[in-house]
Amino acid sequence: TMAAQPQWGPAVTEIILFFVFGAILLFFFISTSATAVGTLFLSKDLEFLFSLPVRARTVFTAKLVEALVLAFAFVPFMFLPFLIAFGIGYQTPFYYYPAMVLILLSLLIWGACFGLVVASFLVRILPARRANEIIGAVVGLTAVAFAFSFQLLDARLGDRPSSEWAKTEGWQPLIERGKELMEGSLNR
């Protein structure tokens, strides 16, 4: 548990949360950009919707809501379980959970706003299909960079002397709490 390494507790917690929330923001920025281009500019039903006797602004608003719903649909399945497990594993105080929800909502809104602005800007200067290809390339390059960053981190950690690794042996707070939770023996 964190009690085994008290000098690392605050630093590790801060680093983990920084990277998790940074990844969430980047993820929503990229996914909203890709979804917005596809939904707002490449959707097959746009011709039909614009032929209806409704204002273009109404069609755009409906497609914008559709893009946001598609971008936000997987939040409960992807990020909330990790953040809740983090709170349980680190035995965070009660205010962690409302703060987590507020921060997650603000990251969703910021990521969506920036993603929609980037998508609109790209479609304004490029054809929609080309903008979609560029966003797809950025997504692929980001995934490759993310994978390489973990390999570099692993290589950097591999250079540590064994005396430093001995300090971390048996230190797995989330795994330990997860096992206790699955066994039903989680002590609060």
Side-chain angles (χ1 to χ4, degrees):
T1 65
M2 287 301 278
Q5 299 293 335
Q7 72 273 15
W8 291 5
V12 170
T13 303
E14 186 175 327
I15 290 169
I16 289 172
L17 287 178
F18 174 77
F19 280 112
V20 167
F21 285 126
I24 290 171
L25 180 63
L26 180 66
F27 183 77
F28 282 119
F29 168 69
I30 291 174
S31 69
T32 303
S33 298
T35 305
V37 169
T39 305
L40 295 174
F41 303 104
L42 296 175
S43 183
K44 303 286 186 207
D45 62 347
L46 286 177
E47 268 185 52
F48 170 72
L49 291 173
F50 280 118
S51 69
L52 295 175
V54 293
R55 296 185 348 217
R57 183 181 200 131
T58 306
V59 172
F60 182 76
T61 303
K63 295 305 270 181
L64 182 65
V65 168
E66 180 184 348
L68 292 177
V69 167
L70 289 173
F72 296 166
F74 49 86
V75 172
F77 305 110
M78 193 167 202
F79 297 112
L80 281 180
F82 172 79
L83 293 171
I84 291 170
F86 181 87
I88 293 170
Y90 280 92
Q91 298 175 345
T92 57
F94 74 94
Y95 55 82
Y96 165 80
Y97 299 99
M100 171 194 65
V101 170
L102 291 174
I103 291 171
L104 191 59
L105 286 175
S106 67
L107 291 176
L108 287 171
I109 292 168
W110 280 42
C113 290
F114 289 132
L116 290 170
V117 167
V118 166
S120 299
F121 176 73
L122 282 176
V123 170
R124 186 111 170 128
I125 62 172
L126 297 170
R129 294 204 188 283
R130 179 65 56 171
N132 200 23
E133 291 170 358
I134 289 171
I135 291 173
V138 168
V139 168
L141 290 173
T142 304
V144 168
F146 194 69
F148 277 136
S149 69
F150 277 110
Q151 289 182 0
L152 291 174
L153 179 65
D154 183 43
R156 187 166 177 219
L157 291 176
D159 295 339
R160 296 175 76 182
S162 60
S163 62
E164 286 189 40
W165 284 115
K167 295 177 188 175
T168 63
E169 193 170 322
W171 184 73
Q172 301 173 342
L174 291 178
I175 293 174
E176 291 170 6
R177 288 294 177 187
K179 287 179 183 176
E180 289 176 9
L181 185 64
M182 293 305 289
E183 294 168 356
S185 62
L186 184 64
N187 297 327
R188 295 206 175 228

